[in-house]
Amino acid sequence: MSLVLHDLLACCRGLDNDKATERKKEAERFRRLLQNPEIVQELDRTSGPKAKGSKQLTWDAVFRFLQRYVQKETESMQSSKSVTATTMATRKKKMADMCSLMKYFIVSANKRGPRLKCSELLKHVMEVLHNSYSCSACGEYYSNFLIKDILSVRKYWCDITPQQWHNLLDLYCSLFNSSIKSLNHVLVSRVIHTVVRGCCMQTDGFNNTLFSFFSKALLNARHEKHLTVLEHLVSSLNIFLRSAAMNCRMKVCHLGEELLPSILYVWVDMRPSAALKEEIVEFFNLQICVHHPNGAKTQDTGAHAEDWAKWRSLLYNLYDALVREISSIGSRGKYVTGTRHIAVKDNLIELTADICHQLFTDGNDNHILEITQTSLRSTQMGSPTHGTASKRRRIELGWEVLRDHLQPQHSDFDVIPWLQITAVLMSKYPSMVPSQELVPLLAVLYQSLAEHRKGERSSYVLRCLREVARCQARYPERAQVHRAELERLWGRVWAVALRGVSSPQTEAFSLDLLSSIVHGGLIYMDREFWKMFSGSACKPSQNAGLCLSQALLKYPLPKSVISSSGWDCTGALEGSGSLSLKETLIAWLLMTDQSDEMEDTSRPHPIICRDFPFNLIANILVSLILKDTRAGLKFLLGAESIESVFFQEQASLDARNKLEEIERLYLQFIFNTLPTEIQETDESSKSPASSQFPVVPVLRKKLEQSLLCVAENLLNCYSPDSQSTPPECLVRCFSLLTGVLAGYVSIGFLTEEEACRLQLFSKAKALTQDLSGFVSSVKVKMTEEGTMTTLRSTMKLCTQSASGRNKDNICPIASTLFVMVLPASLLNELAEICKLLLNSGSKRHSVVDNDDHMDDDWEISRTQQGDDIDLFEDGEESHGSTNGTQRQKGDNMDASCGPGAKSLLTEDLLAQQDLALLAVLEFLCKCGSVRPVHGLLFKPQEVRRRLLLLLEQIDFSRALHLNIYLVLLKKLPAEDSLSPEEFDLLLRPLADLCNQYRQDQEICAAVLLALLPSIRSLGKTPHMPEEMRHVQGSLLQVVSGFCFLSQTGKCMATVRAALVRCLVALLQADPCCKWAVLSLKSPGQQEDLPVSAILPSHLADTHHQVRMLVATSLERLFLEMKEEHPEKRKMLPLKHQQKAFENVYLKAQEGMRLPRSSSSEDQQDEAFNRKATLLKSLSVVLCCSPVCEKQCLFALFQSYKENDIEEQLIKKLFLPGADPPLGVPG
């Protein structure tokens, strides 16, 4: 043993002395010795992987001495009979000193990365907390250790086994319900929050324990004195419910119906904090999602409740509470001095709208209900009629009540929240608006708009009117009865909205409303509308661009806008005679006729200072030089693109990312629509011939002159140091120029070669030279504030323009031309910046983490890698640890709520320059993956070479490096441009990554999903199969490893779902499984199985989401499908289909067997879920395989007999839309 450790060993032995005074002296000496850098360094060396098997003193050995010291001290104090105040104070100080020493030791050991074994640390914590005496004395200290020094370290988070998570959960749930007064209830609830998160993220959950715990803990929430405790509990309840909702819908509904009165009481009567309110609203939203997926109202459409009468009553109580909450927000606002935001938070508005949707009837009749509020209090005591007198309240609800809230005489504080609710209600559920309600609703909104054209209210009225317009346009048959009255009202609204465009406060909202009216064809449009695009009152913006595009698509252009006569008099069709308006529109878009704008040539044109939907302005400009503008724009935008551009804002508003997946899973049960059957491609739907779009030469000349003027002005006013002309303007400008050229090519006016010889193309090249200058200047200004943010936003714009957005004919051409103007110097500069930023990140990292322990692990894993290595071998030591940066952040977490260890994938761990580096990388990947074409100014293979060189510096223990590799994995193989050698280089670090993070469920799922582009590209590669053999082997080895982990229960559902996606992608790449064969381990042997045999085995998975994902993907076993042409399907050989059906039915039947461990409470959910999987599997096969149709029908009737499947479900399968549904459990 080295001399420096000799003293420490003697001290450790002294800690085991029988005399308390000697132990005290040695404890003080122990702390001093740990402050010696030489001792710490030597312990690090002896504890490292290179010193395995030596008999030196290690950190773990020292920890064992310290555990015995804690045990002796505890026993000594416990055996003392004296209970005087002095003795008790002395004991308390001794325990505090002992815990402080333990804390100091753990921090010293793990300061440079985790050294102590997670299992030993947890075992010690559990032993202390299981002992009632030590728990009472040290429980608070040890709970703090657990949160700050164990569960905040990512390596430990991932090393904890499912059984250890379960033990921790059981322990803290019992501590929460125990009577130990010395334990801080807030701290215990905080630990529970962290442990619940760990259970839900690292395991498939312990549903019975948690359902039982939350049922007891929150049923009596009204008695809790500390609201912070409730905040932690409700937050952890939400985490758990999101995790359990897919597998246990009925139990989640039952728990929600049980706890909602109690939680509603907390919200209404206990004055919760803003954070607790957010969690409570999240709980309500979760319950609405689970009971009413996608707004389903009836069992027939997929709604479910355990007790419908009770749930309905709860909804009325919740509606009443929400109305009062919104009313109180308004009344508080009236008495607040100074400016105050009036609008209510979106989540509260959306919740209220969802509940209105459930409670409003299909007619417009009002309901007056008396609700009993006893349930809010009495249910806490276990009985709905427990002792207290019932409070009864009358509540009114319905469309008339909603309109009353919108009356213009009310104050802004009273009206605005209801305008928000109405807008969301009509946006999410347009089908629920009764036809007889359209006129009175439109009338009250028009009156409000006319009387309040200024102020905060006007924007909300305009939004609301926009949703009414969209609603009417979507269901035009409802407006037929009141058509004349609606047209009259819309005419008035139109006039007010036109005037609103001139006001900066209402311009965007007015344009949105006008777009919606035009899109729905709700009025006969007059010439005043076109004047809006000819003056300075309205400048080009995203809203204006969308409004103009809708008008051009809907109506033919008039000859001029000078005459004030009606539309019919001048409504001649377009042609060479209607040049004046087209010229006016081109001039307005490019601002070339605005003398006041052009006086200051130091500023760029407005059109390149703002973001627009991709290629929208270029398409409008090209359509304006055509004789038939309307048909031309329709062709350039494409049918899908028109809708997606127009409704993009609405789509983002409606997105509820966390709950959408749950809703989709529920709605797969309903069978209202069958899977798509095999269809031949429809030749008649092809695009019109280019000869249908003749160009007007004068207009083309005018357009090109204007564009050159915009570009020239930008070249004159741009410099890298300019504040008024950011580099984003350069990208927007040359993207606009190449977009117009792409339009020329798309309509058949020019070929790509001809477009590249135009002056517009040369000017675009000149602009890219200036962009190169900006990128070059970044290298010397990297530390200046704002530089990295600008670089990142510029790169995002470049990536957007270089990526084909959709399958229209225009986008790939636009992307190709955009890439063709990029000089090699620009990409070289960006590659240099990547290298600089990567090195800069490493230096920042080393400031915090001055240790080579991770490098030791790295070297070992690198040298051990070979073709035969097991990427997924077990063992606590081989799993990679987190870096020091993350560790420090974990220690400094907000004391109010411990969220557990952060994943390396979390954006919080990345600095601004890291995010900029990833944006640059993504753009370079796009450039590196383009196919070499004539005229390209750079070599894609050289870009790929420089990107792959970055892998030589990769260190997966660092968040930035891990994210870099995932970007390369996802983006480089996207266009099937990688050579076999490049593919090998890209996949080489995969072995290290899988070995290092096989226990980190988030990273495992991310890696599997990142492999999808590589797998797909194997099905489209131009290289010979022999050349790709090694690449195929690398990918199959990883997928095989995850299949093995899945079989042994070491992957949770999210990872298994990602694995299923990989298996489906492999089938798409190799439908007949010529090379898609996995090597799977089984006891005593290794078995090679085709992917087509492995995919159906997941129909017997323990998790419902995984089973349903497989069930909906089964057509891959029967059909050959290409991702780029999903409509072109080809039947697989007969033998393949018959073998596939045998596997599917066998595994689906195996999946029908309920787990032996499932409780009687779980069996209802399990039985229903498994029936759904079986029927979904058979329905998919029935639709895609005529060969197996008879076998499938036989299997259905056999299932009807053997598995006790209800007759109504079988009927639903055959007759989509018939009653009753599969979506209704029980």
Side-chain angles (χ1 to χ4, degrees):
M1 183 180 293
S2 63
L3 291 172
V4 288
L5 293 183
H6 193 271
D7 283 352
L8 182 62
L9 180 60
C11 177
C12 286
R13 286 172 176 157
L15 288 173
D16 205 19
N17 199 302
D18 289 334
K19 294 181 180 178
T21 50
E22 290 299 316
R23 290 199 302 273
K24 185 179 178 183
K25 285 179 188 175
E26 293 299 338
E28 290 168 359
R29 184 177 164 223
F30 182 81
R31 188 186 285 266
R32 286 197 302 274
L33 288 170
L34 283 184
Q35 291 169 352
N36 184 338
E38 288 184 47
I39 289 178
V40 170
Q41 196 172 350
E42 191 61 21
L43 279 173
D44 282 349
R45 189 189 65 77
T46 59
S47 303
K50 291 179 181 177
K52 274 184 182 176
S54 69
K55 295 183 179 179
Q56 299 275 347
L57 189 66
T58 63
W59 284 110
D60 283 321
V62 175
F63 183 52
R64 286 192 286 274
F65 280 112
L66 204 56
Q67 285 182 68
R68 285 199 289 274
Y69 163 70
V70 170
Q71 191 179 350
K72 280 220 164 187
E73 287 293 334
T74 306
E75 287 171 356
S76 169
M77 283 180 271
Q78 193 172 359
S79 61
S80 174
K81 300 287 172 76
S82 177
V83 288
T84 63
T86 309
T87 310
M88 295 300 286
T90 306
R91 280 187 205 166
K92 194 171 182 181
K93 186 177 183 307
K94 272 189 177 182
M95 291 305 264
D97 290 343
M98 180 186 76
C99 293
S100 172
L101 184 65
M102 178 62 81
K103 165 84 175 176
Y104 185 75
F105 168 74
I106 293 171
V107 170
S108 299
N110 289 343
K111 199 171 188 178
R112 296 152 311 285
R115 308 288 172 166
L116 300 169
K117 282 184 183 174
C118 176
S119 54
E120 291 296 318
L121 278 170
L122 273 183
K123 184 183 171 186
H124 175 60
V125 170
M126 298 284 281
E127 282 173 356
V128 169
L129 294 176
H130 273 304
N131 180 305
S132 57
Y133 178 82
S134 57
C135 181
S136 179
C138 310
E140 194 165 330
Y141 292 105
Y142 271 77
S143 294
N144 268 310
F145 294 166
L146 187 63
I147 281 189
K148 293 187 176 180
D149 301 294
I150 301 175
L151 297 181
S152 67
V153 180
R154 190 68 185 183
K155 180 187 186 312
Y156 291 160
W157 181 268
C158 299
D159 283 347
I160 298 173
T161 64
Q163 189 55 51
Q164 287 170 329
W165 280 115
H166 197 192
N167 293 342
L168 274 173
L169 188 64
D170 279 344
L171 172 65
Y172 273 91
C173 287
S174 64
L175 287 177
F176 185 85
N177 294 319
S178 72
S179 56
I180 300 175
K181 292 181 181 178
S182 59
L183 266 182
N184 183 332
H185 222 43
V186 174
L187 181 59
V188 173
S189 67
R190 185 181 164 203
V191 176
I192 286 172
H193 178 272
T194 307
V195 172
V196 167
R197 186 166 170 263
C199 287
C200 294
M201 290 175 69
Q202 285 295 112
T203 76
D204 275 334
F206 301 101
N207 294 343
N208 289 335
T209 303
L210 286 169
F211 276 119
S212 172
F213 168 72
F214 285 120
S215 178
K216 291 174 186 172
L218 285 169
L219 204 57
N220 295 314
R222 67 190 298 250
H223 300 304
E224 180 55 60
K225 295 173 184 175
H226 302 286
L227 288 177
T228 312
V229 171
L230 291 177
E231 185 184 323
H232 291 148
L233 288 183
V234 178
S235 178
S236 50
L237 172 66
N238 289 335
I239 291 168
F240 167 62
L241 292 182
R242 277 197 298 272
S243 171
M246 289 188 176
N247 245 9
C248 312
R249 182 185 185 184
M250 299 179 202
K251 287 186 76 174
V252 168
C253 285
H254 179 77
L255 185 67
E257 289 162 29
E258 184 181 24
L259 294 183
L260 199 142
S262 176
I263 293 175
L264 190 56
Y265 175 83
V266 173
W267 193 37
V268 171
D269 290 347
M270 290 180 68
R271 295 189 177 182
S273 63
L276 178 52
K277 273 192 175 182
E278 286 292 306
E279 292 296 344
I280 290 173
V281 172
E282 170 72 6
F283 169 74
F284 294 152
N285 271 319
L286 265 164
Q287 287 303 317
I288 293 292
C289 161
V290 177
H291 282 81
H292 304 281
N294 216 21
K297 278 189 171 187
T298 63
Q299 292 181 330
D300 196 42
T301 53
H304 174 72
E306 288 292 283
D307 181 338
W308 276 105
K310 181 180 180 182
W311 174 245
R312 198 78 180 164
S313 170
L314 290 171
L315 282 180
Y316 285 123
N317 277 305
L318 186 50
Y319 172 81
D320 182 50
L322 285 166
V323 170
R324 283 188 289 149
E325 173 72 11
I326 289 166
S327 179
S328 70
I329 291 171
S331 61
R332 286 199 297 271
K334 293 172 191 174
Y335 304 107
V336 174
T337 54
T339 57
R340 180 181 175 276
H341 190 57
I342 298 173
V344 176
K345 284 188 176 181
D346 288 344
N347 59 352
L348 201 61
I349 292 298
E350 193 155 326
L351 174 63
T352 310
D354 287 336
I355 291 170
C356 286
H357 171 59
Q358 293 304 321
L359 299 182
F360 285 17
T361 56
D362 292 335
N364 63 344
D365 300 333
N366 276 2
H367 290 276
I368 300 175
L369 294 164
E370 286 198 351
I371 62 164
T372 306
Q373 288 184 290
T374 331
S375 54
L376 298 187
R377 288 175 167 76
S378 61
T379 318
Q380 328 305 321
M381 308 306 290
S383 165
T385 55
H386 185 87
T388 54
S390 299
K391 274 190 181 181
R392 297 182 70 81
R393 279 174 53 84
R394 282 165 57 88
I395 62 164
E396 292 186 51
L397 69 164
W399 286 100
E400 191 178 330
V401 175
L402 191 66
R403 275 188 282 110
D404 286 344
H405 285 296
L406 303 178
Q407 292 300 325
Q409 64 268 24
H410 297 313
S411 73
D412 283 359
F413 287 100
D414 292 324
V415 171
I416 285 176
W418 287 98
L419 286 167
Q420 290 177 277
I421 291 164
T422 308
V424 172
L425 190 60
M426 302 191 79
S427 170
K428 287 185 75 172
Y429 309 110
S431 62
M432 73 169 287
V433 184
S435 59
Q436 63 269 34
E437 194 56 41
L438 284 171
V439 171
L441 186 60
L442 185 56
V444 75
L445 288 171
Y446 164 69
Q447 189 183 353
S448 191
L449 182 64
E451 293 180 18
H452 299 273
R453 290 182 196 173
K454 294 181 180 179
E456 195 170 348
R457 181 187 305 199
S458 56
S459 60
Y460 291 97
V461 176
L462 288 164
R463 282 178 195 164
C464 215
L465 282 164
R466 179 190 67 185
E467 295 309 331
V468 177
R470 288 179 176 179
C471 176
Q472 186 179 329
R474 193 164 175 183
Y475 299 98
E477 67 282 357
R478 294 187 187 174
Q480 292 305 315
V481 182
H482 312 284
R483 186 175 175 181
E485 183 64 16
L486 285 168
E487 278 182 9
R488 185 180 63 79
L489 284 168
W490 279 122
R492 292 178 178 179
V493 169
W494 175 268
V496 178
L498 277 176
R499 290 195 289 276
V501 171
S502 58
S503 165
Q505 188 180 4
T506 58
E507 178 189 344
F509 303 109
S510 296
L511 286 164
D512 275 353
L513 174 56
L514 293 172
S515 294
S516 299
I517 294 172
V518 170
H519 179 73
L522 305 183
I523 64 160
Y524 289 106
M525 205 167 67
D526 60 14
R527 290 170 178 275
E528 294 298 315
F529 173 77
W530 298 105
K531 286 183 181 178
M532 189 170 66
F533 303 110
S534 59
S536 58
C538 172
K539 292 182 181 178
S541 64
Q542 176 165 313
N543 306 87
L546 288 170
C547 186
L548 176 59
S549 66
Q550 283 301 326
L552 293 173
L553 287 166
K554 199 76 181 175
Y555 300 105
L557 281 168
K559 288 180 180 179
S560 67
V561 292
I562 301 167
S563 169
S564 59
S565 56
W567 170 265
D568 293 329
C569 301
T570 56
L573 291 177
E574 302 174 69
S576 57
S578 59
L579 297 182
S580 58
L581 179 55
K582 290 186 178 183
E583 281 183 311
T584 304
L585 291 174
I586 291 171
W588 174 79
L589 278 168
L590 300 178
M591 282 290 176
T592 49
D593 65 342
Q594 302 298 310
S595 55
D596 57 327
E597 286 290 330
M598 299 313 298
E599 280 173 11
D600 183 9
T601 55
S602 65
R603 298 182 69 83
H605 286 69
I607 198 74
I608 55 172
C609 294
R610 299 171 182 180
D611 286 321
F612 292 87
F614 181 61
N615 246 18
L616 177 68
I617 299 302
N619 289 334
I620 292 173
L621 289 170
V622 172
S623 73
L624 287 170
I625 68 168
L626 305 178
K627 283 190 176 180
D628 190 347
T629 294
R630 188 177 173 190
L633 185 57
K634 201 169 187 178
F635 170 74
L636 289 170
L637 285 175
E640 291 176 13
S641 192
I642 294 166
E643 293 301 316
S644 62
V645 163
F646 185 53
F647 289 108
Q648 63 181 355
E649 182 192 358
Q650 187 179 18
S652 64
L653 282 174
D654 290 348
R656 294 184 298 165
N657 297 332
K658 296 174 184 175
L659 303 179
E660 278 180 346
E661 208 173 353
I662 296 171
E663 290 184 323
R664 274 198 302 272
L665 184 70
Y666 292 160
L667 296 175
Q668 281 174 353
F669 302 176
I670 301 176
F671 287 107
N672 277 341
T673 55
L674 282 175
T676 313
E677 295 194 42
I678 305 167
Q679 295 175 347
E680 298 297 323
T681 50
D682 184 8
E683 296 296 326
S684 65
S685 64
K686 287 188 174 178
S687 303
S690 57
S691 59
Q692 293 178 352
F693 304 113
V695 172
V696 180
V698 181
L699 286 173
R700 180 202 163 194
K701 186 178 179 183
K702 172 77 174 172
L703 170 62
E704 289 179 12
Q705 285 174 347
S706 300
L707 286 168
L708 290 171
C709 174
V710 171
E712 194 60 46
N713 179 57
L714 179 58
L715 287 169
N716 291 335
C717 68
Y718 175 76
S719 75
D721 301 316
S722 170
Q723 296 296 316
S724 61
T725 313
E728 290 96 322
C729 290
L730 295 169
V731 181
R732 292 190 195 103
C733 191
F734 68 80
S735 178
L736 176 64
L737 299 183
T738 53
V740 167
L741 292 173
Y744 286 177
V745 175
S746 183
I747 60 172
F749 179 63
L750 295 175
T751 63
E752 277 191 40
E753 292 75 16
E754 289 168 337
C756 293
R757 292 196 290 270
L758 290 185
Q759 197 176 353
L760 289 179
F761 194 76
S762 304
K763 197 62 75 176
K765 283 184 178 179
L767 289 164
T768 59
Q769 293 297 333
D770 274 13
L771 184 63
S772 293
F774 158 71
V775 172
S776 186
S777 72
V778 166
K779 291 194 288 187
V780 294
K781 297 193 294 184
M782 283 171 64
T783 55
E784 288 184 20
E785 188 180 354
T787 301
M788 288 297 115
T789 308
T790 305
L791 177 64
R792 186 186 180 199
S793 62
T794 305
M795 288 299 103
K796 282 190 167 185
L797 276 176
C798 286
T799 306
Q800 175 189 327
S801 298
S803 305
R805 281 300 190 84
N806 50 40
K807 296 173 185 174
D808 293 346
N809 56 332
I810 185 72
C811 289
I813 301 168
S815 303
T816 303
L817 291 175
F818 179 88
V819 171
M820 286 178 73
V821 300
L822 301 173
S825 59
L826 171 65
L827 303 184
N828 288 334
E829 294 285 2
L830 287 171
E832 281 297 312
I833 282 179
C834 278
K835 196 173 175 183
L836 287 170
L837 289 174
L838 191 61
N839 292 333
S840 167
S842 299
K843 285 174 186 172
R844 279 187 292 110
H845 182 91
S846 62
V847 169
V848 183
D849 186 5
N850 299 313
D851 182 47
D852 62 353
H853 174 64
M854 296 312 302
D855 297 324
D856 295 342
D857 282 350
W858 169 250
E859 287 304 321
I860 284 174
S861 62
R862 293 287 284 187
T863 53
Q864 282 180 346
Q865 185 187 327
D867 287 344
D868 299 325
I869 185 173
D870 182 358
L871 306 186
F872 301 93
E873 61 188 34
D874 287 324
E876 191 174 340
E877 293 304 314
S878 63
H879 179 60
S881 62
T882 54
N883 56 54
T885 314
Q886 184 181 339
R887 178 68 174 70
Q888 286 202 350
K889 288 194 180 188
D891 277 349
N892 295 324
M893 282 178 193
D894 177 12
S896 67
C897 185
K902 285 184 179 177
S903 166
L904 284 185
L905 301 174
T906 308
E907 199 173 284
D908 297 356
L909 298 178
L910 300 174
Q912 273 299 326
Q913 65 184 56
D914 298 335
L915 295 170
L917 168 55
L918 293 175
V920 172
L921 205 64
E922 199 166 327
F923 175 56
L924 287 176
C925 284
K926 183 63 199 170
C927 296
S929 62
V930 299
R931 297 186 184 280
V933 291
H934 177 69
L936 205 59
L937 302 177
F938 62 91
K939 294 179 180 177
Q941 63 268 34
E942 176 61 19
V943 177
R944 295 197 298 271
R945 186 189 70 79
R946 297 192 70 164
L947 287 172
L948 291 168
L949 279 174
L950 295 175
L951 296 178
E952 294 178 3
Q953 304 175 55
I954 216 83
D955 176 354
F956 288 130
S957 66
R958 298 174 183 180
L960 173 62
H961 291 228
L962 178 60
N963 280 282
I964 285 172
Y965 187 58
L966 290 177
V967 168
L968 292 175
L969 267 184
K970 284 187 275 193
K971 302 298 178 182
L972 260 188
E975 301 297 326
D976 320 315
S977 55
L978 291 180
S979 69
E981 294 76 21
E982 289 169 335
F983 234 134
D984 275 336
L985 285 171
L986 177 65
L987 298 179
R988 190 173 292 169
L990 202 53
D992 282 339
L993 180 57
C994 293
N995 186 42
Q996 197 165 339
Y997 289 108
R998 70 184 178 279
Q999 289 170 272
D1000 191 317
Q1001 303 295 318
E1002 283 180 80
I1003 291 179
C1004 285
V1007 168
L1008 283 168
L1009 294 174
L1011 289 179
L1012 290 175
S1014 296
I1015 294 171
R1016 287 174 188 141
S1017 72
L1018 292 180
K1020 300 180 281 186
T1021 180
H1023 300 283
M1024 297 298 290
E1026 301 78 41
E1027 296 177 280
M1028 301 301 290
R1029 196 74 68 205
H1030 195 264
V1031 176
Q1032 292 165 358
S1034 298
L1035 286 168
L1036 292 173
Q1037 185 185 20
V1038 173
V1039 177
S1040 297
F1042 278 107
C1043 282
F1044 174 69
L1045 288 181
S1046 174
Q1047 288 173 347
T1048 52
K1050 292 177 182 173
C1051 286
M1052 65 173 290
T1054 50
V1055 180
R1056 299 200 301 275
L1059 176 60
V1060 166
R1061 293 183 198 280
C1062 286
L1063 296 175
V1064 172
L1066 281 167
L1067 276 175
Q1068 182 180 305
D1070 182 21
C1072 295
C1073 294
K1074 293 172 184 174
W1075 54 264
V1077 177
L1078 303 183
S1079 297
L1080 299 183
K1081 291 180 181 177
S1082 55
Q1085 62 176 2
Q1086 189 153 320
E1087 192 179 7
D1088 290 342
L1089 288 172
V1091 171
S1092 57
I1094 295 168
L1095 180 66
S1097 68
H1098 290 274
L1099 286 170
D1101 195 274
T1102 54
H1103 200 279
H1104 187 51
Q1105 183 194 13
V1106 179
R1107 293 194 299 266
M1108 288 299 281
L1109 184 60
V1110 178
T1112 53
S1113 307
L1114 287 176
E1115 59 185 357
R1116 304 284 183 186
L1117 295 170
F1118 300 89
L1119 301 171
E1120 187 174 336
M1121 303 164 69
K1122 296 294 181 187
E1123 190 183 21
E1124 61 273 24
H1125 300 293
E1127 72 284 353
K1128 293 183 179 178
R1129 302 174 173 200
K1130 181 183 169 186
M1131 293 294 232
L1132 287 176
L1134 180 67
K1135 286 184 180 178
H1136 278 76
Q1137 292 193 56
Q1138 289 176 332
K1139 181 67 177 171
F1141 180 77
E1142 287 172 19
N1143 283 332
V1144 166
Y1145 189 56
L1146 189 70
K1147 290 299 176 182
Q1149 281 285 30
E1150 187 183 316
M1152 286 300 297
R1153 291 198 288 271
L1154 298 179
R1156 290 176 186 174
S1157 58
S1158 64
S1159 65
S1160 56
E1161 299 165 350
D1162 293 331
Q1163 295 218 345
Q1164 195 182 1
D1165 268 311
E1166 283 290 346
F1168 172 72
N1169 290 345
R1170 289 164 190 270
K1171 285 178 188 177
T1173 303
L1174 177 64
L1175 290 185
K1176 190 71 180 177
S1177 303
L1178 293 176
S1179 77
V1180 170
V1181 177
L1182 197 60
C1183 288
C1184 71
S1185 175
V1187 170
C1188 300
E1189 193 172 35
K1190 287 183 181 177
Q1191 289 170 283
C1192 210
L1193 288 170
F1194 177 77
L1196 271 171
F1197 293 121
Q1198 193 176 14
S1199 300
Y1200 169 65
K1201 291 178 181 177
E1202 291 181 4
N1203 300 310
D1204 195 27
I1205 294 178
E1206 296 86 344
E1207 186 179 329
Q1208 58 188 15
L1209 302 183
I1210 303 286
K1211 284 181 181 176
K1212 186 72 175 178
L1213 179 62
F1214 286 111
L1215 300 168
D1219 64 321
L1222 181 58
V1224 188

